[in-house]
């Protein structure tokens, strides 16, 4: 087995162990449960239908599940105490694209609300990475709402992905359980699976001290703000549109600083970390 593949599989296995779950390809008998997990997250009718998932799994696409261990293969003490053996706690779906090079576009990644915070989302991403490397794919891309700080931290710091594009109103009005009528502005990230940046992030290495040319402060919990004060959330969204549009016009890239706010930089994305402790 190729060294990169072996290391990726081992890292994914360790993440499973830490979360008390097993991540693997979805079985045909689990398609309905995968759809239920997506719809529970985004709302009825907001995911692909059964036939689409069936076609993707038949073609060997990446439809992954995270299930509570029912085989004694992981540390049972790490399994969420509410989970039943074999229960499907998370699911991820991706498809191949070839815009600017062949890559996997990771489109959906959902974890049961009660199971969040146990490392299940991370375990699914690491299994997705291992699957891609096993098949010779060395890049994964996806989009995320740039105002959700926890997602920015996971994507840019913990995983080592980097922002490749700012996509204002990418999906139009979603009207789903998460976004409601809010703008669907997104950052598209590239996860270069064996890059120095990703290796540093996945081993917990320190992040660089990015040279900043502007920035944007994030709320600790934008989703709560959107629920509690829609007008203030809208003002923040509009301010972010101006800031990110100007950032993109200057050819800059957002990174997170030690406080968890964006700094806009032209530094090499693979720059070595500084002396600060890993975050």
């Amino acid at each position: 087995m190729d060294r990169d593949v072996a290391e990726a599989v081992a890292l994914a296995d360790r993440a499973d162990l830490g979360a008390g779950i097993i991540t693997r390809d979805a079985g045909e008998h689990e398609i309905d449960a995968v759809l239920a997990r997506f719809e529970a997250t985004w709302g009825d009718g907001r995911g692909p239908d059964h036939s689409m998932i069936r076609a993707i799994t038949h073609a060997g696409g990446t439809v992954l599940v995270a299930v509570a261990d029912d085989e004694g293969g992981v540390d049972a003490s790490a399994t969420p105490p509410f989970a039943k053996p074999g229960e499907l706690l998370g699911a991820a779906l991706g498809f191949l694209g070839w815009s600017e090079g062949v890559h996997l576009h990771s489109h959906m990644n959902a974890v049961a609300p009660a199971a969040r915070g146990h490392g299940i989302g991370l375990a699914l991403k690491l299994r997705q990475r291992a699957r891609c490397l096993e098949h010779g794919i060395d890049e994964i891309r996806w989009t995320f709402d740039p105002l959700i700080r926890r997602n920015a931290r996971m994507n840019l710091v913990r995983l080592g992905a980097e922002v490749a594009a700012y996509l204002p109103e990418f999906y139009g009005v979603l009207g789903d359980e998460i976004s409601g009528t809010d703008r669907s502005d997104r950052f598209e990230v590239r996860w270069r699976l064996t890059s120095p940046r990703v290796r540093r992030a996945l081993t917990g290495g320190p992040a660089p001290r990015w040279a900043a040319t502007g920035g944007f402060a994030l709320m600790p919990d934008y989703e709560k703000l959107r629920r509690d004060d829609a007008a203030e959330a809208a003002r923040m969204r509009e301010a972010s549109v101006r800031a990110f549009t100007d950032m993109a016009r200057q050819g800059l890239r957002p990174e997170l600083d030690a406080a968890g706010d964006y700094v806009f930089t032209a530094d090499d994305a693979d720059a070595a970390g500084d002396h600060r402790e890993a975050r």
Side-chain angles (χ1 to χ4, degrees):
M1 183 183 292
D2 177 270
R3 179 178 176 180
D4 287 338
V5 173
E7 290 178 350
V9 170
L11 187 62
D13 289 345
R14 288 197 296 273
D16 282 5
L17 183 65
I21 49 97
I22 294 173
T23 54
R24 54 168 172 73
D25 297 317
E28 183 179 349
H29 66 288
E30 294 172 310
I31 292 176
D32 286 337
V34 168
L35 292 173
R37 174 52 45 226
F38 290 153
E39 292 200 343
T41 301
W42 286 284
D44 291 345
R46 296 295 176 176
D49 62 17
H50 187 283
S51 63
M52 178 64 72
I53 298 290
R54 179 72 182 94
I56 293 172
T57 56
H58 176 75
T62 56
V63 182
L64 304 178
V65 294
V67 297
D69 179 35
D70 60 357
E71 299 174 355
V74 299
D75 181 0
S77 67
T79 302
F82 52 81
K84 301 175 183 176
E87 181 180 356
L88 194 149
L89 300 174
L93 178 152
F95 50 84
L96 288 181
W98 47 76
S99 174
E100 299 182 13
V102 176
H103 62 280
L104 181 84
H105 183 85
S106 181
H107 183 53
M108 306 183 85
N109 194 326
V111 175
R116 293 170 189 165
H118 290 271
I120 295 171
L122 174 64
L124 281 167
K125 296 304 280 189
L126 293 176
R127 186 63 62 191
Q128 202 172 53
R129 174 176 180 261
R131 283 287 186 269
C132 282
L133 290 174
E134 286 172 332
H135 292 283
I137 304 298
D138 63 4
E139 184 174 311
I140 300 177
R141 302 179 198 169
W142 63 92
T143 64
F144 77 96
D145 186 334
L147 297 188
I148 310 300
R149 177 181 269 175
R150 71 174 188 280
N151 289 348
R153 185 175 294 280
M154 168 66 81
N155 295 335
L156 306 186
V157 179
R158 181 64 184 86
L159 295 175
E162 67 206 68
V163 173
Y166 171 52
L167 306 172
E169 284 285 31
F170 184 57
Y171 296 108
V173 177
L174 288 167
D176 60 20
E177 294 294 328
I178 296 176
S179 300
T181 59
D182 195 4
R183 289 174 58 100
S184 59
D185 303 328
R186 295 293 185 266
F187 281 157
E188 181 180 26
V189 297
R190 301 168 59 221
W191 199 22
R192 295 178 293 118
L193 303 181
T194 60
S195 67
R197 176 189 177 98
V198 170
R199 291 185 186 281
R200 169 180 55 75
L202 295 183
T203 56
R209 191 182 299 277
W210 305 105
T213 305
F216 187 82
L218 291 174
M219 291 288 297
D221 191 343
Y222 174 77
E223 289 169 301
K224 183 177 187 300
L225 177 68
R226 186 164 56 192
R227 291 192 302 270
D228 297 347
D229 190 342
E232 182 58 30
R235 283 190 288 271
M236 183 176 181
R237 178 70 71 182
E238 290 303 321
S240 78
V241 171
R242 293 190 295 271
F244 298 149
T245 298
D246 189 53
M247 171 201 73
R249 187 179 298 118
Q250 296 180 64
L252 301 173
R253 183 186 73 253
E255 298 283 0
L256 286 185
D257 64 13
D261 294 320
Y262 287 122
V263 294
F264 304 153
T265 185
D267 286 352
D268 181 0
D270 285 322
D274 65 15
H275 63 278
R276 292 179 297 169
E277 293 184 359
R279 291 170 289 173

Short mmCIF file of all heavy atoms in Angstrom, two decimals, residues 6 10 14 45 56 78 184 192 210 215 238 262 269:
data_model
loop_
_atom_site.label_atom_id
_atom_site.label_comp_id
_atom_site.label_asym_id
_atom_site.label_seq_id
_atom_site.Cartn_x
_atom_site.Cartn_y
_atom_site.Cartn_z
N ALA A 6 -1.67 4.53 3.32
CA ALA A 6 -1.59 3.82 4.59
C ALA A 6 -1.73 4.79 5.76
O ALA A 6 -2.43 4.51 6.75
CB ALA A 6 -0.27 3.05 4.68
N ALA A 10 -4.84 4.93 8.47
CA ALA A 10 -4.54 4.83 9.89
C ALA A 10 -5.10 6.03 10.66
O ALA A 10 -5.65 5.88 11.76
CB ALA A 10 -3.04 4.72 10.11
N ARG A 14 -7.96 5.96 13.57
CA ARG A 14 -7.78 6.55 14.91
C ARG A 14 -8.91 7.51 15.24
O ARG A 14 -9.36 7.59 16.39
CB ARG A 14 -6.43 7.26 15.00
CG ARG A 14 -5.24 6.33 15.04
CD ARG A 14 -3.99 7.04 15.54
NE ARG A 14 -3.56 8.11 14.66
CZ ARG A 14 -2.75 7.94 13.62
NH1 ARG A 14 -2.31 6.73 13.30
NH2 ARG A 14 -2.40 8.98 12.87
N GLY A 45 -37.34 16.93 1.79
CA GLY A 45 -37.17 17.21 0.38
C GLY A 45 -35.92 17.99 0.03
O GLY A 45 -35.75 18.42 -1.12
N ILE A 56 -25.39 6.51 -7.12
CA ILE A 56 -24.06 6.92 -6.69
C ILE A 56 -23.32 5.76 -6.02
O ILE A 56 -22.15 5.50 -6.30
CB ILE A 56 -24.14 8.13 -5.75
CG1 ILE A 56 -24.65 9.36 -6.52
CG2 ILE A 56 -22.78 8.44 -5.13
CD1 ILE A 56 -24.95 10.55 -5.64
N ALA A 78 -15.96 5.63 24.30
CA ALA A 78 -16.00 6.86 23.50
C ALA A 78 -17.30 7.02 22.74
O ALA A 78 -17.62 8.11 22.29
CB ALA A 78 -14.82 6.86 22.51
N SER A 184 -27.04 32.92 0.64
CA SER A 184 -26.26 31.67 0.58
C SER A 184 -24.83 31.96 0.11
O SER A 184 -24.30 31.26 -0.76
CB SER A 184 -26.93 30.65 -0.34
OG SER A 184 -27.06 31.16 -1.66
N ARG A 192 -6.02 20.00 -0.30
CA ARG A 192 -4.97 19.31 -1.04
C ARG A 192 -4.40 18.24 -0.10
O ARG A 192 -3.60 18.53 0.79
CB ARG A 192 -3.91 20.32 -1.49
CG ARG A 192 -4.45 21.34 -2.49
CD ARG A 192 -3.40 22.37 -2.89
NE ARG A 192 -3.04 23.24 -1.77
CZ ARG A 192 -1.84 23.35 -1.24
NH1 ARG A 192 -0.84 22.62 -1.69
NH2 ARG A 192 -1.62 24.18 -0.24
N TRP A 210 -0.05 34.74 9.99
CA TRP A 210 -0.32 35.27 8.67
C TRP A 210 -0.12 36.78 8.61
O TRP A 210 -0.57 37.51 9.50
CB TRP A 210 -1.75 34.94 8.24
CG TRP A 210 -2.08 33.48 8.30
CD1 TRP A 210 -2.86 32.84 9.23
CD2 TRP A 210 -1.64 32.46 7.38
NE1 TRP A 210 -2.93 31.50 8.95
CE2 TRP A 210 -2.20 31.24 7.83
CE3 TRP A 210 -0.85 32.47 6.24
CZ2 TRP A 210 -1.98 30.03 7.17
CZ3 TRP A 210 -0.63 31.27 5.58
CH2 TRP A 210 -1.19 30.07 6.04
N GLY A 215 -9.14 42.33 7.19
CA GLY A 215 -9.72 41.18 7.85
C GLY A 215 -11.20 41.40 8.13
O GLY A 215 -11.80 42.39 7.72
N GLU A 238 -24.32 41.71 5.28
CA GLU A 238 -24.03 42.72 4.27
C GLU A 238 -22.61 43.26 4.43
O GLU A 238 -21.92 43.51 3.43
CB GLU A 238 -25.05 43.86 4.36
CG GLU A 238 -26.45 43.47 3.89
CD GLU A 238 -26.46 42.95 2.46
OE1 GLU A 238 -25.72 43.49 1.62
OE2 GLU A 238 -27.21 42.00 2.19
N TYR A 262 -11.12 36.36 10.79
CA TYR A 262 -10.45 36.29 9.50
C TYR A 262 -9.38 37.38 9.37
O TYR A 262 -9.60 38.53 9.77
CB TYR A 262 -11.45 36.48 8.36
CG TYR A 262 -12.36 35.31 8.11
CD1 TYR A 262 -13.75 35.46 8.17
CD2 TYR A 262 -11.87 34.04 7.81
CE1 TYR A 262 -14.60 34.39 7.93
CE2 TYR A 262 -12.71 32.97 7.59
CZ TYR A 262 -14.07 33.15 7.65
OH TYR A 262 -14.91 32.09 7.42
N ALA A 269 0.09 29.54 1.08
CA ALA A 269 -0.82 28.69 1.87
C ALA A 269 -0.09 27.57 2.58
O ALA A 269 -0.56 27.05 3.60
CB ALA A 269 -1.91 28.12 0.98
#
